[in-house]
Amino acid sequence: MTASIQHTGLSAPASGQSIVIVGVGGQGTLLASRVLGRIGSELYGDVTVSEVHGMSQRGGSVVTYVRMGDAVASPIIEKGQADIVLAFELLEALRALPYLKKGGRMLINTQQILPMPVISGSCAYPEDILGTLKAKNVDFTAVDALSAALEAGNPKCVNTVMLGVLAASTEVEKAHWLEAVRALVPAKTVDINLAAFEKGFAAGCSKQL
């Protein structure tokens, strides 16, 4: 199920943007936040990037805040304040829903990574998460970023696939995104990451109404 993307982008509103990135340790949320920080620095006078909690070394949940504007008073994004939730894993998208403000949107990788309580059998992975979001009238786009990353040559490039999906919904020229990705990913992975970004960008464009 896919909802429409509002084609406003990171260049608006003038007051700034608040983006929450969520995922599981090892999915590259911090790298994604650095790319966003670089893009934001070209659009606004102030950018903050904060990995607020998570267990990135243990495969646990990771939450990163990116705030950009003329003058960012606090690096923290409170519940109900995120313009965008960029989710690298399906359950993490559901968990992050309280951050989304009214009129905000979610970009979701449909990949499922089972948390330890599910693996141990103490609880079940929620069913039909996208259906739940649709029932709540959430504006979202869901993309199989893992398959796209595999096609690009590396399953670890889910983060750059999702950055491509995000870029497709903004008014920032693609060349600026490509420059940021090229500058911040490890040198030996540039070509694969650029290919992953292009696949995400194409997927994002195809889902716009």
Side-chain angles (χ1 to χ4, degrees):
M1 300 293 182
T2 302
S4 63
I5 301 175
Q6 299 300 315
H7 191 64
T8 52
L10 297 181
S11 59
S15 58
Q17 289 273 287
S18 294
I19 302 172
V20 173
I21 306 173
V22 295
V24 172
Q27 287 192 296
T29 55
L30 188 56
L31 175 60
S33 69
R34 289 171 178 164
V35 172
L36 280 175
R38 186 182 178 103
I39 293 294
S41 68
E42 298 180 6
L43 301 174
Y44 299 99
D46 196 7
V47 178
T48 64
V49 176
S50 306
E51 186 172 89
V52 291
H53 62 80
M55 298 181 294
S56 58
Q57 300 302 316
R58 302 180 185 178
S61 299
V62 180
V63 179
T64 303
Y65 299 152
V66 180
R67 296 197 66 198
M68 52 188 77
D70 292 335
V72 178
S74 169
I76 303 301
I77 299 174
E78 302 292 346
K79 291 182 179 180
Q81 291 186 347
D83 298 286
I84 300 167
V85 171
L86 185 63
F88 292 173
E89 197 275 339
L90 192 56
L91 178 56
E92 297 304 324
L94 182 63
R95 288 173 170 168
L97 182 57
Y99 284 107
L100 194 66
K101 76 177 189 180
K102 185 177 181 180
R105 65 188 186 274
M106 303 187 82
L107 306 178
I108 304 168
N109 172 23
T110 58
Q111 180 181 0
Q112 297 183 14
I113 300 176
L114 302 184
M116 189 55 64
V118 173
I119 294 174
S120 67
S122 61
C123 65
Y125 197 98
E127 296 182 1
D128 195 17
I129 289 175
L130 296 182
T132 298
L133 295 175
K134 185 179 181 183
K136 293 178 179 292
N137 295 316
V138 177
D139 179 9
F140 72 88
T141 288
V143 174
D144 184 356
L146 178 59
S147 291
L150 287 168
E151 291 174 3
N154 192 329
K156 294 183 178 180
C157 292
V158 160
N159 55 351
T160 42
V161 172
M162 292 306 296
L163 284 172
V165 175
L166 173 59
S169 71
T170 75
E171 296 173 356
V172 179
E173 291 184 8
K174 185 170 72 169
H176 292 294
W177 289 93
L178 293 172
E179 180 183 356
V181 170
R182 187 179 292 109
L184 293 171
V185 303
K188 64 182 180 181
T189 69
V190 168
D191 289 344
I192 288 177
N193 274 286
L194 291 178
F197 177 92
E198 292 284 6
K199 288 184 176 296
F201 191 88
C205 287
S206 71
K207 292 178 183 296
Q208 293 186 53
L209 299 180

